[in-house]
Amino acid sequence: MKHAFKMASIILAAVAPWSEGNAIELSKDFTLAVDAGLYSQYWSRGMSQTLGDPAIQGAVTLIHSSGLYAGVWSSNVDFGHGSKARQEIDYYLGYSWQIADKVTLDLTYLEYEYPKQGDLNYSEYYAKLNAYGFIAGGYYSDDLWSNQSMLYSFVGYETTLPGDVGFKSRYGLADYKDPVFVSGDGSARNKYNEWQVEFNKEFLGVKWSISYADSDLSKAECMNFAGFDDICSATVVAGVSKSF
């Protein structure tokens, strides 16, 4: 039984942001993680997915003591410009391998679905290595917008500060392989950098978080890519979440 819960805690840390850290015992080998959160916006890879508006997010993950897991995560979205997409649903299947006491490798396959706008659906392969709080990994897709390749790679560090304050940092590089980010002078590039720093704390039975996020996309590049010039700029994301 202890092995099942230990494996669950490792996987929940590995598959963040889908889970926050608790699990419900179902049997000797199976546990279930259920999480829900409210955030000031849905921020992903240097861009707001809700035009800066609040997001409600939740996840259910079934975990086996062997390291296998499967689940679903969802959030509201808003891409503007007449997009019918109002919800993102992510289905994932993965395996978490505990290489050593503080070293884990997580491998996951994900399917992203957008009800009412299926042309946005795509899939990704994900890998993340966590060694003593230092993290490195990436997501790769070859069917974004049906035929676009994209690699998002990242490094970071996670730890617990004095006072049981959680700290997370990430620096990422999004490479779309083609020059899709067009600046004001007409020049274009295929990649950009983004970063995020978060502090969180358990209080009154829920987790409170606040983070600073930014990217090196210019307003013109953001406008030409996403249709808005203010969803890729520096921002603060606040949230409150609960694990059941």
Side-chain angles (χ1 to χ4, degrees), residues 45 109-114 117-125 139-151 175-177:
R45 304 179 192 179
Y109 174 75
L110 305 104
E111 288 279 354
Y112 299 84
E113 292 189 3
Y114 298 86
Q117 190 152 358
D119 60 312
L120 296 179
N121 296 352
Y122 69 103
S123 61
E124 279 187 330
Y125 300 92
Y139 295 80
Y140 174 74
S141 174
D142 59 5
D143 62 353
L144 185 66
W145 311 321
S146 76
N147 60 4
Q148 176 72 42
S149 295
M150 192 275 288
L151 174 64
D175 186 351
Y176 283 72
K177 307 304 179 181

Side-chain angles (χ1 to χ4, degrees), residues 25-53:
E25 175 188 354
L26 299 179
S27 68
K28 178 181 178 181
D29 292 312
F30 285 96
T31 52
L32 186 70
V34 181
D35 305 278
L38 174 63
Y39 301 88
S40 58
Q41 63 176 306
Y42 173 14
W43 183 267
S44 176
R45 304 179 192 179
M47 299 181 189
S48 177
Q49 309 297 301
T50 52
L51 301 182
D53 292 332

Side-chain angles (χ1 to χ4, degrees), residues 47-48 50-52 78-83 217-233:
M47 299 181 189
S48 177
T50 52
L51 301 182
D78 188 354
F79 303 126
H81 298 296
S83 172
L217 287 168
S218 68
K219 287 185 175 294
E221 289 172 324
C222 192
M223 170 63 78
N224 290 325
F225 179 78
F228 299 91
D229 66 1
D230 60 349
I231 65 170
C232 313
S233 305

